[in-house]
Amino acid sequence: MTAVMFATDHVGRVAGTSEQKEPAVLTDSKDERDIYRAIVRIARAMDQRDWAVIENIAVPEATGDFGTGPLRSATEIIALLRNFLDDCGPTQHMIGNVLIEIDENTATSRAYVADMHLGAGDLAGQFFRTLGDYHDSWIRTSEGWRLTNRTKKHNGVLGNIAVLAHASSPDATRA
């Protein structure tokens, strides 16, 4: 077996051609960056109540579970988030310790989330915090990486859950 080597110039083009080779490590890095940005964009969209962003990142048939049972579509996921956040005071979802595994056209990610929800109206001055772990699944589409599933694992809570506008019990979903 003979190995064939291609010389490339300083921008990665195969010598003597306009063909550009993209090393696998650069592709993986770009894919990881794209997924990481989508995770952050979802967190910011929740805080800004910009539900169209989440609708654009998730596939229509995306599934999820935030602690109240299975959700079977992006529409259901967004409705659940809106139920808890639309009438809540300001929120901030901080993302960290993100791990992304890519397998060609699918990927999984895990990301810590520490979120703060401030009360509004009669609950002004109160707060509700959660510590959790988002477990996500992704698929590569012609429009880029799209969320296919999000499950939130809750590790701790602090404060008054009533700050979430429609929370009914300590076991209610924490966005």
Side-chain angles (χ1 to χ4, degrees):
M1 182 178 284
T2 305
V4 178
M5 305 267 308
F6 293 99
T8 60
D9 65 14
H10 70 282
V11 293
R13 288 185 300 251
V14 174
T17 73
S18 62
E19 177 185 353
Q20 186 149 346
K21 295 282 188 182
E22 188 170 348
V25 72
L26 291 179
T27 302
D28 288 350
S29 294
K30 181 181 181 328
D31 288 339
E32 284 189 27
R33 179 69 179 152
D34 290 347
I35 291 169
Y36 179 86
R37 286 182 57 84
I39 293 167
V40 171
R41 286 182 64 218
I42 292 169
R44 286 181 165 273
M46 287 190 289
D47 296 334
Q48 296 164 357
R49 314 306 193 258
D50 190 348
W51 310 117
V53 168
I54 298 172
E55 187 175 10
N56 289 330
I57 293 173
V59 296
E61 62 277 7
T63 57
D65 190 339
F66 292 74
T68 59
L71 301 167
R72 295 176 296 281
S73 70
T75 301
E76 286 186 15
I77 291 169
I78 293 168
L80 179 84
L81 295 173
R82 291 190 75 161
N83 188 50
F84 288 100
L85 299 178
D86 272 353
D87 296 325
C88 182
T91 61
Q92 191 170 61
H93 292 74
M94 301 298 292
I95 303 295
N97 296 356
V98 179
L99 298 172
I100 300 168
E101 299 293 328
I102 298 169
D103 185 12
E104 294 186 19
N105 293 320
T106 61
T108 58
S109 62
R110 291 183 25 211
Y112 286 159
V113 58
D115 49 38
M116 170 71 83
H117 307 83
L118 299 180
D122 293 344
L123 297 174
Q126 296 189 44
F127 68 90
F128 183 69
R129 296 194 65 156
T130 76
L131 299 176
D133 200 9
Y134 289 138
H135 293 232
D136 297 335
S137 297
W138 302 88
I139 189 168
R140 185 192 316 266
T141 71
S142 59
E143 293 84 33
W145 287 98
R146 298 294 178 253
L147 182 71
T148 60
N149 178 270
R150 170 162 280 183
T151 299
K152 184 178 181 188
K153 309 283 185 180
H154 296 281
N155 299 321
V157 298
L158 180 65
N160 182 358
I161 195 169
V163 163
L164 296 180
H166 300 282
S168 59
S169 72
D171 296 325
T173 295
R174 296 153 190 90

